[in-house]
Amino acid sequence: VLTAWMSEGGGTPRVVEVVNKLIAEDGDIQPLITGLINTSALLATVAAGALGTSPQGLVGGLLDRYGPFDQPISDE
């Protein structure tokens, strides 16, 4: 899934096709989600080590930095 996403440059119909194919082959979404979580944790640990911080600090910092983009747009 990550390779397809990187190759496609984002969430294209081809990426959706790959995701759906993997879910169908596995018969459940759980292996995909577990794999993505494990991969994310590994990549966060590697990146944090390279930056001299903890994985929790790295992820927490990303949430602090990019969290506002996940919030609803206010009409005010």
Side-chain angles (χ1 to χ4, degrees):
V1 170
L2 291 176
T3 302
W5 188 86
M6 288 185 279
S7 297
E8 291 289 315
T12 65
R14 172 73 180 129
V15 174
V16 173
E17 180 182 320
V18 168
V19 169
N20 289 332
K21 180 181 176 192
L22 286 171
I23 293 169
E25 288 174 0
D26 290 336
D28 191 4
I29 196 169
Q30 185 175 353
L32 175 61
I33 298 299
T34 301
L36 289 172
I37 291 169
N38 290 337
T39 301
S40 298
L42 174 63
L43 293 174
T45 300
V46 170
L51 295 171
T53 189
S54 69
Q56 296 86 350
L58 176 68
V59 173
L62 290 172
L63 293 174
D64 289 343
R65 174 80 170 115
Y66 295 105
F69 295 108
D70 291 337
Q71 302 303 314
I73 297 174
S74 173
D75 289 335
E76 298 174 20

